[in-house]
Amino acid sequence: MGTVLSLKKVSKSYGALKVTDDIDFILKDGETLGILGPNGAGKTTLFNLISGDVRADNGSIFYCGEDITRVSPQNRCRQGIGRTYQIPHPFSGMTVFENLLVGATYGGNMSEDQADPICIDVLKKTGLIKKANLLSGSLTLLDRKRLELARALATQPKVLLLDEIAGGLTEHEAKELVDLIGDIKAEGVSMIWIEHVVHALLSVADRLLVINFGSKLADGDPDKVMNDPEVKRVYMGIEV
Ligand SMILES: Nc1ncnc2c1ncn2[C@@H]1O[C@H](COP(=O)(O)OP(=O)(O)OP(=O)(O)O)[C@@H](O)[C@H]1O
Ligand SMILES: [Mg+2]
């Protein structure tokens, strides 16, 4: 497996607070990497750095062998890096379908003719087809989370960044989400999934990365990482 994404000594501070501290990691082609870590550990900031929403203070980010550290967020998206936001922000004055169209045409660089069938397919997959013509601002939080995923999928990403999309789901809904993520994985999309719903994450992750105070605490095989005494102590609050 080749490497699709790599971060080399990436740092980001807000004032005196070093939120990302010299982070190194890679994502392999087709891999699903799970990210765990306490609140405020710097997980979302990592996504902001990868998507380009936030510029790194130091370090480099490589995507498909190319240095993208200074590439704009829209061009990173067009090159195949798709993401969802922890706090959904749909284009609330537009319908669900129109939100996907923006993803496909602007984010995915497709013509409207190319975009239409892709958006319809994504709406079916994500269970939003019956809500295609509703204004996205009228959706429940759960449907807005679905829309986050759907809009990212409409860009046809090669790398997909998922930021806490399982919180608040029922057991049945979480299973559906895990199945959907399994399908996306089977299509060859590489993914990084930040999630506090650990059992959902563990059912699809090939590898786990644990972040604490902006640094890597553990990185590797999910079973080994979950049994790491330091991870148990810091992340799960279990003294061993
Ligand atoms: N734009 C910003 N300005 C100032 N501080 C920020 C900014 N963005 C994040 N931070 C701070 O950086 C730290 C890490 O935030 P981040 O959102 O990356 O954490 P997280 O691991 O995603 O947490 P959570 O699990 O709660 O989502 C926090 O202390 C947060 O308050
Ligand atoms: Mg976060």
Side-chain angles (χ1 to χ4, degrees), residues 68-206:
I68 58 158
T69 318
R70 312 215 160 271
V71 173
S72 68
Q74 55 271 37
N75 283 334
R76 292 188 204 194
C77 184
R78 286 175 187 154
Q79 285 173 28
I81 301 178
R83 71 168 294 178
T84 67
Y85 288 88
Q86 184 171 351
I87 299 166
H89 40 89
F91 307 117
S92 52
M94 294 183 182
T95 66
V96 167
F97 185 70
E98 286 164 347
N99 267 263
L100 267 67
L101 266 187
V102 173
T105 56
Y106 185 72
N109 228 3
M110 291 168 222
S111 68
E112 262 194 57
D113 283 350
Q114 287 173 304
D116 277 343
I118 287 169
C119 293
I120 290 167
D121 183 50
V122 169
L123 286 172
K124 283 183 188 157
K125 273 190 196 155
T126 52
L128 283 171
I129 191 76
K130 289 189 178 138
K131 295 178 177 158
N133 295 320
L134 294 182
L135 277 182
S136 63
S138 72
L139 297 179
T140 61
L141 176 62
L142 201 59
D143 279 338
R144 270 183 274 153
K145 286 205 168 198
R146 285 205 178 102
L147 178 56
E148 278 295 312
L149 175 58
R151 189 176 51 182
L153 284 174
T155 69
Q156 301 260 281
K158 185 174 168 64
V159 169
L160 179 59
L161 311 174
L162 303 171
D163 197 351
E164 295 195 29
I165 54 169
L169 299 185
T170 64
E171 205 46 42
H172 178 71
E173 288 163 342
K175 165 100 179 49
E176 276 182 0
L177 177 67
V178 163
D179 289 347
L180 173 60
I181 290 175
D183 292 344
I184 299 167
K185 183 175 174 171
E187 286 167 15
V189 177
S190 313
M191 278 180 276
I192 309 181
W193 185 9
I194 296 172
E195 191 56 74
H196 288 296
V197 183
V198 178
H199 69 94
L201 191 60
L202 288 176
S203 61
V204 289
D206 300 309

Side-chain angles (χ1 to χ4, degrees), residues 227-240:
N227 284 308
D228 181 309
E230 191 64 4
V231 170
K232 285 186 175 170
R233 192 179 64 76
V234 169
Y235 181 62
M236 293 179 275
I238 302 166
E239 286 294 343
V240 287

Side-chain angles (χ1 to χ4, degrees), residues 8-101:
K8 296 204 169 125
K9 295 212 164 299
V10 172
S11 293
K12 173 70 198 171
S13 296
Y14 287 111
L17 184 66
K18 205 158 196 191
V19 177
T20 306
D21 193 359
D22 263 359
I23 286 239
D24 278 309
F25 74 82
I26 64 158
L27 178 69
K28 290 184 198 147
D29 217 347
E31 187 177 43
T32 300
L33 173 67
I35 296 188
L36 283 174
N39 292 119
K43 304 178 300 295
T44 295
T45 302
L46 265 186
F47 275 10
N48 290 338
L49 290 163
I50 296 168
S51 66
D53 291 49
V54 160
R55 283 285 170 91
D57 297 333
N58 288 296
S60 306
I61 302 170
F62 294 87
Y63 170 66
C64 295
E66 189 199 329
D67 187 340
I68 58 158
T69 318
R70 312 215 160 271
V71 173
S72 68
Q74 55 271 37
N75 283 334
R76 292 188 204 194
C77 184
R78 286 175 187 154
Q79 285 173 28
I81 301 178
R83 71 168 294 178
T84 67
Y85 288 88
Q86 184 171 351
I87 299 166
H89 40 89
F91 307 117
S92 52
M94 294 183 182
T95 66
V96 167
F97 185 70
E98 286 164 347
N99 267 263
L100 267 67
L101 266 187

